[in-house]
Amino acid sequence: MTIANANTGKEGFLNLPDNAEERIAGHVRGILEALGEDPGREGLLETPQRAARMFLDVFSGLYEDPARHLEKQFSSDGHSGLVIVRDIPFRSTCEHHLLPVVGKADVAYLPDGGRLTGLSKLARVVEGYARRPQLQERLTDQVAEAIWRVLHPKAVLVVMRAEHMCMTVRGVKAPGAETVTSRAMGQWADDAAARAEVMALMRAG
C-alpha cells in the first residue's frame, strides 16, 4: 500500500519520525482541551502519552511490509491439497472514525506442489495489514494479494467477518452486526463450485 506522506519510504511505507510520540501526544492534549477537559488534572495527566503509545502500536503495520513473513517457505514434498487456517483473530481500526474493528479471518490457498509457508505466517500477514487505518474490504484484498504474489499458489481465498464499533457505539448503533468480505484469486475466482466447497470447509464444525 502506498501512503501519501512526505515521510513515505522507497517501499511505500511510512518512516516513523523520531518525535512521533511527542507529536501525537500534543494532538491528543489539544483534543482534550477542545472537548472542554483539563489535560492537567490527575486522571488525564498521562493520557496524551499513553494514547500516543497506543496509536503507534495499533498502527504499527504502517511501518512494515506484512508480505515479508511469507518469504519463509519450505518444500511441500509434493503436497497439492488445499491449506486452510480458520478463525484467525484480528483487530483493526476503521479509517473513517478511528474506532476498532474486531473479527476473524479464514485464509485458504492451493499450493502449486512446490513451496509452503508456515501456518503462523498467514496469521502474521493478517495482523500486519490489520494494524493500519483500514477498510475491511481493502484488508481482505491485501491479505489475498500478498499470498498470491509471494507464494504463487494455484488459488487463494480470504474471508473476513468483523464487528465495526463505528456501527455499534455511534450512528445506527447496531451491536452484533457482522460485516463479511471475501476475495478469491486464481482457480477459485473462476470456479464457483470449488470456491463454495472451500468456504464450506472454512465453516465446517
Side-chain angles (χ1 to χ4, degrees):
M1 179 176 71
T2 301
I3 303 165
N5 187 287
N7 295 313
T8 299
K10 64 180 181 178
E11 295 180 348
F13 299 96
L14 290 177
N15 296 317
L16 181 64
D18 291 337
N19 61 342
E21 185 175 319
E22 285 304 319
R23 288 175 59 192
I24 296 169
H27 289 301
V28 172
R29 195 173 293 109
I31 291 171
L32 291 171
E33 290 172 347
L35 290 170
E37 266 288 3
D38 174 16
R41 69 176 174 84
E42 184 178 6
L44 292 176
L45 194 59
E46 297 181 25
T47 295
Q49 218 67 37
R50 291 193 192 101
R53 290 192 292 270
M54 177 274 295
F55 277 118
L56 290 174
D57 179 38
V58 300
F59 294 141
S60 61
L62 289 169
Y63 310 105
E64 67 157 323
D65 177 8
R68 67 185 172 82
H69 296 293
L70 300 172
E71 294 172 1
K72 183 71 173 181
Q73 299 175 16
F74 53 90
S75 172
S76 67
D77 289 331
H79 176 75
S80 58
L82 63 86
V83 177
I84 300 176
V85 180
R86 303 190 308 186
D87 294 331
I88 300 170
F90 70 88
R91 290 170 178 80
S92 192
T93 305
C94 164
E95 67 178 33
H96 295 150
H97 301 97
L98 297 184
L99 286 170
V101 176
V102 181
K104 291 185 177 181
D106 298 328
V107 177
Y109 72 98
L110 186 63
D112 66 355
R115 309 292 289 174
L116 299 173
T117 192
L119 303 180
S120 67
K121 307 307 179 188
L122 298 174
R124 289 189 180 278
V125 170
V126 172
E127 179 184 36
Y129 284 115
R131 286 178 172 267
R132 300 175 177 186
Q134 273 290 14
L135 298 174
Q136 185 176 327
E137 297 88 339
R138 181 198 299 135
L139 173 58
T140 306
D141 288 345
Q142 287 174 331
V143 173
E145 290 166 4
I147 295 169
W148 180 258
R149 184 174 67 252
V150 181
L151 294 183
H152 306 293
K154 294 178 181 178
V156 177
L157 178 61
V158 176
V159 178
M160 292 192 164
R161 312 174 307 281
E163 183 173 1
H164 293 240
M165 295 303 108
C166 57
M167 287 185 62
T168 298
V169 302
R170 59 161 299 283
V172 70
K173 292 188 174 70
E178 187 176 64
T179 299
V180 181
T181 52
S182 68
R183 176 70 184 277
M185 302 183 72
Q187 293 180 9
W188 294 335
D190 302 322
D191 189 334
R195 185 169 64 252
E197 181 180 354
V198 177
M199 294 182 78
L201 288 171
M202 284 176 165
R203 303 314 317 145

